[in-house]
Structures are given as C-alpha cells and as structure tokens.
C-alpha cells in the first residue's frame, strides 16, 4: 500500500508528537531513577557525575526512616489480609444467599464509602478510635483502612462470584463435600483472580496513604513511611532533594515488587481453576 504525501507527512507529525509527549512523561521518571545516585540533585544533571551510594547510606542511617518502612509494611499487609479475607467471605455470602435487598445493601455500602471518605470522615473516625483506646497503634490504622476499602472490595468480588454457576458447588456437595469444602475447593480457586485484584488495589491504597496515619498516629514507633518522608525536609521546609529522592525510590520498591510478582505469577491473564 503506497502512502500519499499528505498521509506520510501526517504519520510523521503524529509520531513526532507522540515521541514528544512520551519524552515529557519519561524525563521526570528518568531523573527520579538517577537522582538518588547523584551527589548533587540538579534538574539539569540527569546522569550522576560521579555516581555515589552516599545518599542511601545516609537514609539507612536514619533509624526513624527505616522503622517507618517496617511500619508501612505492617499496616499494609495487615490491612490487605483483613480486607481480602472479610471481602471474600462477605461477597460470597451476599452472592449465594437469598436475602431480600442484598443488591441494595451492597450499593448503599459502596455509595457511603465513596461519599463519606477522606477528610470528611476523619473527625468521627478520630473520636471512635480515641474512645476505643486505639490511638497511636497499628491496629487503628488497619481497621480504619479495612472499613473504608471493604465495601468496594465486596462489590468487586461479588461480580466475580456471581459469574460462577451455583451448580459447581452443588455438584461438589452431591459428591459428598461439605459447604465449607465446596467453598475452599470449588469457589475459592475460581475467584482467585478477583482476590488478587483486591490485594494489589488494597496494598497500593494503604501503602501510599498519608492522611489516616498522620491523624491517628503520634509516635515515631508507629509512623509509616508516607509520613516519615517529611523528615527529609529542612527546618525551613526546604526538601533535601538527594535524600528525598533516595528514600522515595526505596519507598516505591515494594509496590514495584508486588507488580512484578503478580505479573510473573499471573501474567495479568487472571484466570481461576477448579480443583479436581
């Protein structure tokens, strides 16, 4: 197929525009990757000259910042386990039960979790956590995140479960399986892709959150990395860019590792399976 001159010029112009847009998005990312290894964090100096690991040595020498990474991991993993387990059981119950209005219940929960969120919900959350005596604890953060993420997680998982014919579980029970065995051996492997989606989504939400831990936590022993990152600012509020870049790169690694693990394990071709 021969291109006419206007079509050829248009294709070249489109390719040039796409390359320009790609460069605009890529340059800050390239700087973010190289800045931690740079002794001088200058916007015009993308490639470090010379290369150095001094920024990482300084960051790992900051016990508060290192502890904050562990705190983030504790809170994120705890929240993911609670959200994943509770959402799976609740969504399965809603999908398989014959309760009148169960669809309305799901949508109402989803609506309220979307509308009453963030700063709008922090005052009642603070009062509830304070009255329960859970201030400045990991449990307070985990329960708060679980309560906020659970309705959406239930909504997503219920769609996965609704797509499974009830005859699968009924056949297993006819063969002698108990309802619990039918759930774990038949339904759970099939809805595994939905659970993976929930796990990744919940982890990213909890790992990157700032407001909830900032309000509910007080001591450096429980503060997560999303709050501790501000320790790399001077007293005047000016960021120490080299240390901030190094800590930001370290802070981003768990999410990247989770993405790579899910990509390697599932290849983003989410599918389930039934145990024979």
């Amino acid at each position: 197929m021969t291109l006419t001159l206007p079509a050829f010029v248009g294709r070249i112009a489109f390719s040039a525009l796409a390359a320009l847009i790609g460069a605009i998005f890529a340059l800050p990312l390239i700087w973010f990757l190289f800045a931690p290894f740079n002794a001088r964090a200058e916007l015009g100096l993308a490639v470090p000259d010379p290369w150095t690991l001094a920024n990482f040595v300084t960051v790992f020498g900051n016990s508060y910042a290192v502890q904050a990474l562990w705190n983030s991991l504790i809170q994120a993993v705890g929240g993911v386990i609670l959200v994943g387990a509770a959402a799976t059981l609740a969504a399965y119950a809603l999908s398989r039960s014959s309760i009148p209005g169960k669809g309305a219940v799901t949508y109402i929960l989803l609506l309220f979790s979307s509308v009453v969120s963030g700063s709008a919900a922090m005052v009642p959350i603070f009062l509830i956590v304070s009255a329960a005596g859970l201030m400045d604890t990991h449990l307070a953060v985990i329960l708060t995140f679980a309560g906020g993420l659970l309705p959406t997680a239930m909504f997503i998982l219920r769609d996965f479960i609704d797509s499974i014919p009830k005859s699968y579980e009924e056949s297993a029970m006819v063969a002698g399986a108990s309802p619990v065995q039918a759930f774990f051996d038949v339904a759970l492997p099939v809805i595994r892709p939905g659970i993976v989606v929930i796990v990744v989504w919940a982890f990213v939400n909890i790992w990157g959150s700032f407001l909830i831990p900032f309000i509910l936590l007080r001591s450096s022993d429980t503060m997560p990395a999303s709050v501790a990152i501000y320790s790399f600012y001077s007293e005047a509020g000016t960021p120490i860019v080299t240390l901030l870049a190094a800590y930001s790169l370290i802070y981003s690694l768990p999410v990247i590792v989770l993405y790579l693990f899910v990509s390697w394990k599932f290849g983003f071709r989410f599918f389930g399976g039934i145990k024979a």
Side-chain angles (χ1 to χ4, degrees):
M1 181 178 178
T2 305
L3 292 176
T4 62
L5 181 60
F8 178 76
V9 172
R11 180 168 295 186
I12 293 296
F14 176 79
S15 300
L17 179 62
L20 178 61
I21 294 174
I24 292 173
F25 283 96
L27 287 176
L29 181 60
I30 293 173
W31 184 90
F32 170 76
L33 292 175
F34 285 117
F37 304 96
N38 201 335
R40 298 173 297 155
E42 300 177 3
L43 292 178
L45 192 62
V47 179
D49 185 24
W51 290 76
T52 179
L53 296 176
N55 297 326
F56 291 98
V57 173
T58 304
V59 166
F60 283 112
N62 186 332
S63 59
Y64 171 56
V66 174
Q67 179 64 39
L69 291 170
W70 286 111
N71 293 337
S72 288
L73 191 62
I74 292 171
Q75 294 165 16
V77 172
V80 163
I81 292 174
L82 185 56
V83 170
T88 301
L89 297 176
Y92 184 78
L94 284 172
S95 176
R96 293 298 187 253
S97 66
S98 56
I99 301 174
K102 61 181 181 180
V105 171
T106 306
Y107 283 107
I108 289 172
L109 287 173
L110 180 64
L111 176 64
F112 276 99
S113 68
S114 301
V115 175
V116 186
S117 61
S119 57
M122 283 316 302
V123 172
I125 288 174
F126 179 87
L127 294 176
I128 293 172
V129 171
S130 179
L134 295 175
M135 288 296 295
D136 198 28
T137 63
H138 292 306
L139 184 59
V141 176
I142 291 172
L143 291 177
T144 301
F145 276 118
L149 299 175
L150 190 55
T152 305
M154 290 168 53
F155 181 78
I156 295 172
L157 279 178
R158 188 187 164 189
D159 282 344
F160 277 88
I161 298 172
D162 285 343
S163 65
I164 306 172
K166 292 183 180 180
S167 59
Y168 287 179
E169 295 128 289
E170 292 170 352
S171 299
M173 286 186 281
V174 167
S178 66
V180 175
Q181 289 175 321
F183 169 73
F184 281 102
D185 293 340
V186 177
L188 193 59
V190 180
I191 63 174
R192 181 181 58 182
I195 297 174
V196 172
V197 171
I198 292 302
V199 166
V200 174
W201 169 74
F203 185 90
V204 171
N205 273 275
I206 299 173
W207 184 263
S209 179
F210 169 81
L211 181 63
I212 291 175
F214 181 73
I215 297 295
L216 299 182
L217 302 177
R218 294 289 180 270
S219 67
S220 59
D221 293 334
T222 56
M223 207 68 73
S226 58
V227 179
I229 197 170
Y230 288 92
S231 65
F232 296 103
Y233 283 72
S234 66
E235 294 181 358
T238 304
I240 306 173
V241 180
T242 51
L243 301 182
L244 188 63
Y247 193 68
S248 297
L249 183 60
I250 297 170
Y251 180 51
S252 303
L253 287 179
V255 176
I256 297 173
V257 169
L258 180 62
Y259 169 84
L260 294 176
F261 173 77
V262 171
S263 178
W264 166 72
K265 189 71 175 178
F266 296 95
F268 287 103
R269 298 182 299 273
F270 292 131
F271 56 88
I274 300 177
K275 294 182 180 179

